[in-house]
Amino acid sequence: MSADSPRAADSKHSLTGDRTGVWLVGARGNVATMAIVGARAIAAGHTDTTGMVTEREPVSALELPPVEEFVFGGHDIDPTSLVEQAERQCERNGVPDEETLAGVRDDLAAVDERIEVGTAINCGAAVTDESEQLDESLSLRTVLDQIRDDYESFRTAHDLDRLVVVNVASTEPELPTADRYDTRDALEDALDDDDRDLPASVLYAYAAIDAGHPFVNFTPSTGNALGGVQELAADRDVPHVGRDAKTGETLVKSALAPMFAGRNLNVLSWEGHNILGNKDGLVLEDEQNAAGKLASKGDVLESILPDIGHNRVRIDYTPSLADWKTAWDYIHFEGFLNTEMTMQFTWEGSDSALAAPLVLDLVRLIAHADEYGDGGLQPQLASFFKAPLGVDEHDFSKQLHWLYDYASRHGETDA
């Protein structure tokens, strides 16, 4: 529960009557906009819940906070309003369609009033150009206080039972010296010393977890991956999860690669080429910002196919595609009698429409973990991520069964 909210004392838990706040870091970005549009469209009956894992058995048997009741707020450095962002996506991508957008326009305008100016420390030039952000001269502790105050003001103003913070901001450059912050003491010292190497995602994660708010890192950015943040979460008994949501090409890889392994087929080369045209694609044009993303996409295959001969992933910005992403994969493999064969697949989809329902799922599932007192890392949510924290298994089917087992165990108590 939130820092000031008592946990349920008996074995019967229910989140159906809770007011759940969703604080989105990067609240005016493509994914956040689509998640808000989707939640409000579900509430208004303009769309259904296709694409949401929590709406399918056995996960739907859990007592989960209703998406219709989510209260949205967030941080962003982009001054463009949510309505304008949604209009742009409608015009350029056709998602959402005009009818859906018309049905949620007032809701978007109301949420936009709850978005505060954020920080973009160490987020890269592509992210910080032409942005509005907190004064960069402020100390890290002062920035943390501001972020924490924004969380608390939102929770109080809307009488929320729980606040879940979700990082859906653009990908930051990798933190090259992450092991310097492996303990909570080391991280606290770095904050006290105003260590300017720490990126914004760590500040958002620290502020959330320190205040008792569950945290989801939907991005490849450092965030809650630091050992010091994870130790803080264990000390505070706060659930957190990440990193880098698995929505497209890597999702296919994590389901397909086990087939080659299971049939003892020798994968000689797996070449992946991604093109997309939205803000995320633009940010990933910067090699520093792209490094973490490429690493998490490539590590999936290395884990499932440790003897793979060649594994490479490319991500290229193609402005005309807007939010539509295309991935082409070429797999060169060897079978019986040294026979060389190939497989190719093309994945094309709306980047934000694939990601948005997973944001809503993760909010519901981490709220459930919080209600049950399951603090720290959440391995049952590994299937949502390319680089799930605390989990080495990348086989999608195995990861999914962890979630199903969790749902089966808790479903009986929830009923």
Side-chain angles (χ1 to χ4, degrees):
M1 301 285 285
S2 299
D4 300 327
S5 302
R7 297 187 187 278
D10 55 27
S11 60
K12 174 69 174 176
H13 297 252
S14 176
L15 290 87
T16 54
D18 278 8
R19 286 179 59 79
T20 300
V22 183
W23 190 270
L24 299 165
V25 179
R28 294 188 178 114
N30 290 344
V31 173
T33 301
M34 198 68 71
I36 297 168
V37 167
R40 299 315 304 152
I42 290 170
H46 295 307
T47 193
D48 61 23
T49 55
T50 299
M52 290 187 61
V53 177
T54 50
E55 288 296 313
R56 183 176 186 271
E57 290 286 354
V59 187
S60 59
L62 295 171
E63 284 279 358
L64 300 171
V67 171
E68 295 87 344
E69 301 299 323
F70 283 176
V71 183
F72 291 95
H75 282 113
D76 210 308
I77 60 172
D78 190 335
T80 310
S81 75
L82 264 180
V83 173
E84 291 174 288
Q85 293 284 18
E87 287 174 342
R88 181 182 302 168
Q89 291 191 58
C90 176
E91 292 167 5
R92 295 194 66 195
N93 311 310
V95 185
D97 59 40
E98 292 183 0
E99 182 179 354
T100 300
L101 177 55
V104 301
R105 186 184 297 272
D106 290 345
D107 289 347
L108 294 179
V111 173
D112 202 63
E113 295 297 318
R114 308 173 201 144
I115 297 175
E116 304 292 341
V117 174
T119 184
I121 296 172
N122 290 328
C123 289
V127 175
T128 55
D129 285 351
E130 300 180 3
S131 64
E132 294 181 357
Q133 55 184 300
L134 293 175
D135 186 346
E136 290 186 333
S137 68
L138 295 175
S139 71
L140 296 186
R141 284 292 186 186
T142 301
V143 172
L144 277 173
D145 288 342
Q146 180 64 66
I147 293 171
R148 190 183 289 107
D149 287 348
D150 288 340
Y151 294 159
E152 183 60 24
S153 296
F154 176 69
R155 191 177 75 86
T156 302
H158 297 280
D159 193 25
L160 302 174
D161 296 289
R162 175 181 285 99
L163 178 63
V164 176
V165 178
V166 186
N167 180 22
V168 284
S170 297
T171 303
E172 299 168 346
E174 285 191 292
L175 180 59
T177 56
D179 56 351
R180 288 169 48 201
Y181 314 99
D182 269 352
T183 67
R184 181 179 173 186
D185 285 344
L187 178 57
E188 298 282 1
D189 287 344
L191 292 169
D192 290 338
D193 294 341
D194 203 34
D195 183 344
R196 309 304 286 192
D197 288 339
L198 289 170
S201 64
V202 171
L203 304 183
Y204 287 118
Y206 180 97
I209 292 168
D210 191 45
H213 306 310
F215 182 81
V216 177
N217 187 7
F218 205 76
T219 79
S221 300
T222 303
N224 55 330
L226 282 189
V229 177
Q230 294 187 38
E231 185 179 335
L232 174 68
D235 291 344
R236 292 279 192 265
D237 197 27
V238 176
H240 67 111
V241 71
R243 103 199 229 207
D244 198 4
K246 186 163 59 182
T247 59
E249 181 205 28
T250 309
L251 175 65
V252 178
K253 284 180 174 179
S254 68
L256 187 57
M259 178 196 74
F260 288 98
R263 286 298 175 90
N264 197 23
L265 298 169
N266 182 26
V267 177
L268 305 171
S269 297
W270 196 313
E271 190 81 25
H273 187 192
N274 298 254
I275 54 175
L276 71 161
N278 59 20
K279 177 67 178 293
D280 287 340
L282 175 61
V283 169
L284 293 173
E285 278 283 276
D286 187 299
E287 290 184 3
Q288 289 184 313
N289 291 70
K293 186 79 169 180
L294 292 171
S296 64
K297 288 173 76 67
D299 287 349
V300 169
L301 286 184
E302 300 289 349
S303 170
I304 301 171
L305 302 169
D307 297 323
I308 191 170
H310 168 79
N311 171 25
R312 181 168 62 181
V313 184
R314 291 174 54 91
I315 303 175
D316 290 324
Y317 177 54
T318 308
S320 63
L321 293 182
D323 195 56
W324 290 91
K325 177 170 66 175
T326 297
W328 170 72
D329 279 52
Y330 180 90
I331 308 157
H332 184 204
F333 64 98
E334 182 183 62
F336 195 52
L337 299 174
N338 300 317
T339 307
E340 294 188 12
M341 295 168 271
T342 63
M343 177 181 180
Q344 300 178 48
F345 70 82
T346 303
W347 173 281
E348 182 179 12
S350 167
D351 200 32
S352 301
L354 289 165
L358 305 187
V359 172
L360 304 178
D361 281 330
L362 284 163
V363 170
R364 302 182 83 190
L365 289 166
I366 206 164
H368 186 277
D370 191 41
E371 178 70 17
Y372 276 82
D374 295 334
L377 292 170
Q378 305 295 309
Q380 76 277 8
L381 303 181
S383 61
F384 288 91
F385 298 97
K386 299 183 183 76
L389 296 177
V391 173
D392 294 324
E393 178 61 69
H394 288 279
D395 183 321
F396 180 67
S397 179
K398 292 179 181 178
Q399 292 177 337
L400 203 55
H401 277 288
W402 295 346
L403 177 60
Y404 292 166
D405 289 344
Y406 174 90
S408 297
R409 289 197 313 272
H410 283 278
E412 297 175 3
T413 341
D414 287 7

